[in-house]
Amino acid sequence: MPLAEDFAQYATAAEAAFAGASDSATLEAARIALLGANGQEKDLTKAFAAAPGDEKRTLGPLFNAAKGRAKAAFDAAKARLAGAAEDQLIDLTLPVERPRVGSIHPISQVAAEVEEVFRSMGYGVIDGPHIEFDEFNFSRLNIPADHPARDHQDTFWLDHPAAGPGQRLLRTHTSAVQSRTYPALKPPFRRVVVGTVFRYEAVDATHDNTFHQVEGFVVDQDITVAHLVGTIRTMLAALLKRDDIEVRLRPSFFPFVEPGFEVDVRLTKAEPGSRFARWMELMGCGMIHPNVLTAGGIDPAAWQGFAFGLGLERLAMIRHGITDIRVMHGADLRSLHQFGN
Ligand code: PHE
């Protein structure tokens, strides 16, 4: 019975064609050739219709089986190609590209907060140049040319076309802003400086040749050390955001203050034995020396004041529990992101 063989051949050929289709265009072409309105299956349908009635009884189930195999092969191929297309769209094993969000550097963050705290206490925020004259960085701060205090703040010296060789330097402290602004200020006044300073230092975990300081100074009548201590406590409470800060003052020497102190802090809730549980030197301060006021054109008999200076890095390190200053001046964003916001 040739027609029965035609059915079987058709089914086998359809299975091969659909299974071999490697993309949707090939599959569609095979579908049209085999299952389409003018396709091979249509021809077989016509041939079957033309067969004598008694043969149809046996041919019918064979034809149905062949059509079933062709349809099943087509469905399988369609599902296979759809699956492959989906696989290409989403590969869950690929690394994710996340958008990079920047963060504010811990130093910039503390600097902005310092300015905010002092603005709230009535201070004006100012700054001066990084390249400073010897006169403002040292001489007018009661540190004459031969004073041994200069040895503590060695720096990078530059020549100046008018002032001569070795007359300019990278400022070693923000105290230079005191002496350069006094002549322009009329007491009473309060000012705060947040700025970069430079020293000839060997770099290690707690020292760098470039760092940042906060300098505050107040000139008024009847100003005492009690005002100074109150101001320092207010500042630290606002900036360190901790309730366990203990502060102590030790007599110390800075040529531009008299009396002078060093302020130490420790964190009473810090892990015992940790760096923050021990006293840490945080800042220098004192009552502004009469010679400094006089050099700035302010009469020390009529006015007094206090001044203090501290390192921003030290402050940020205590606040975030960082033990190496190089983290803050390095470019490792993995570190910086943790402390930024
Ligand atoms: N300028 C001092 C320093 O850098 C700090 C200081 C400022 C001390 C103001 C006393 C008063 O070490």
Side-chain angles (χ1 to χ4, degrees):
M1 209 182 287
L3 203 47
E5 274 163 32
D6 289 349
F7 291 155
Q9 269 169 20
Y10 164 71
T12 306
E15 279 172 349
F18 292 139
S22 55
D23 55 54
S24 53
T26 322
L27 179 65
E28 179 61 4
R31 186 193 67 78
I32 291 168
L34 295 160
L35 308 175
N38 299 310
Q40 219 176 309
E41 198 171 287
K42 228 15 185 224
D43 295 342
L44 290 174
T45 305
K46 283 178 198 155
F48 175 72
D54 54 342
E55 283 183 22
K56 275 196 182 128
R57 233 186 317 276
T58 42
L59 284 173
L62 295 176
F63 189 29
N64 280 339
K67 283 196 289 188
R69 280 171 62 191
K71 177 73 168 57
F74 171 73
D75 288 345
K78 204 171 144 183
R80 171 171 54 80
L81 292 178
E86 263 170 33
D87 282 353
Q88 277 160 16
L89 273 181
I90 305 169
D91 181 351
L92 294 176
T93 65
L94 281 178
V96 181
E97 277 251 1
R98 269 190 283 174
R100 283 187 184 211
V101 181
S103 62
I104 297 177
H105 193 284
I107 298 296
S108 305
Q109 217 176 293
V110 178
E113 287 177 27
V114 167
E115 293 183 1
E116 192 48 44
V117 172
F118 282 99
R119 275 206 185 90
S120 78
M121 292 194 279
Y123 285 63
V125 178
I126 56 169
D127 197 1
H130 293 169
I131 298 177
E132 188 53 281
F133 286 96
D134 175 302
E135 186 183 353
F136 296 129
N137 196 83
F138 292 127
S139 308
R140 287 207 203 183
L141 288 173
N142 206 24
I143 313 174
D146 54 357
H147 199 286
R150 288 192 176 210
D151 293 346
H152 291 294
Q153 299 193 2
D154 199 3
T155 183
F156 305 90
W157 291 86
L158 301 105
D159 293 341
H160 185 258
Q167 285 306 301
R168 281 203 309 182
L169 47 86
L170 294 184
R171 69 178 182 193
T172 61
H173 53 179
T174 41
S175 301
V177 185
Q178 282 190 50
S179 49
R180 76 156 35 243
T181 51
Y182 283 149
L185 295 171
K186 232 177 87 56
F189 56 81
R190 303 168 200 186
R191 293 290 183 275
V192 70
V193 183
V194 181
T196 314
V197 299
F198 311 85
R199 291 197 195 167
Y200 183 68
E201 291 269 7
V203 176
D204 63 24
T206 52
H207 297 89
D208 207 338
N209 51 36
T210 304
F211 55 103
H212 301 83
Q213 282 188 331
V214 185
E215 180 103 5
F217 50 96
V218 170
V219 173
D220 205 331
Q221 275 154 349
D222 304 323
I223 291 290
T224 70
V225 172
H227 296 117
L228 168 60
V229 173
T231 305
I232 289 172
R233 283 187 195 280
T234 305
M235 170 183 75
L236 294 181
L239 296 175
L240 293 180
K241 300 196 195 307
R242 298 185 61 123
D243 58 3
D244 62 340
I245 308 159
E246 205 178 340
V247 175
R248 88 178 171 191
L249 259 65
R250 273 183 296 117
S252 186
F253 176 73
F254 300 95
F256 36 94
V257 288
E258 178 60 33
F261 308 97
E262 221 145 314
V263 180
D264 299 336
V265 293
R266 72 175 166 194
L267 306 177
T268 55
K269 288 185 189 160
E271 214 177 292
S274 86
R275 185 160 177 270
F276 304 113
R278 297 193 298 269
W279 287 111
M280 291 172 282
E281 196 183 300
L282 183 66
M283 57 192 286
C285 63
M287 303 304 291
I288 302 167
H289 197 288
N291 290 355
V292 173
L293 291 175
T294 305
I298 297 168
D299 179 5
W303 304 97
Q304 312 89 58
F306 65 72
F308 59 84
L310 73 152
L312 266 191
E313 278 78 359
R314 184 70 62 93
L315 212 52
M317 285 165 79
I318 296 173
R319 168 144 153 208
H320 294 294
I322 302 171
T323 49
D324 194 323
I325 195 172
R326 288 166 290 197
V327 165
M328 283 185 284
H329 299 162
D332 192 337
L333 296 180
R334 291 170 305 176
S335 315
L336 296 175
H337 274 315
Q338 297 176 64
F339 312 115
N341 68 2

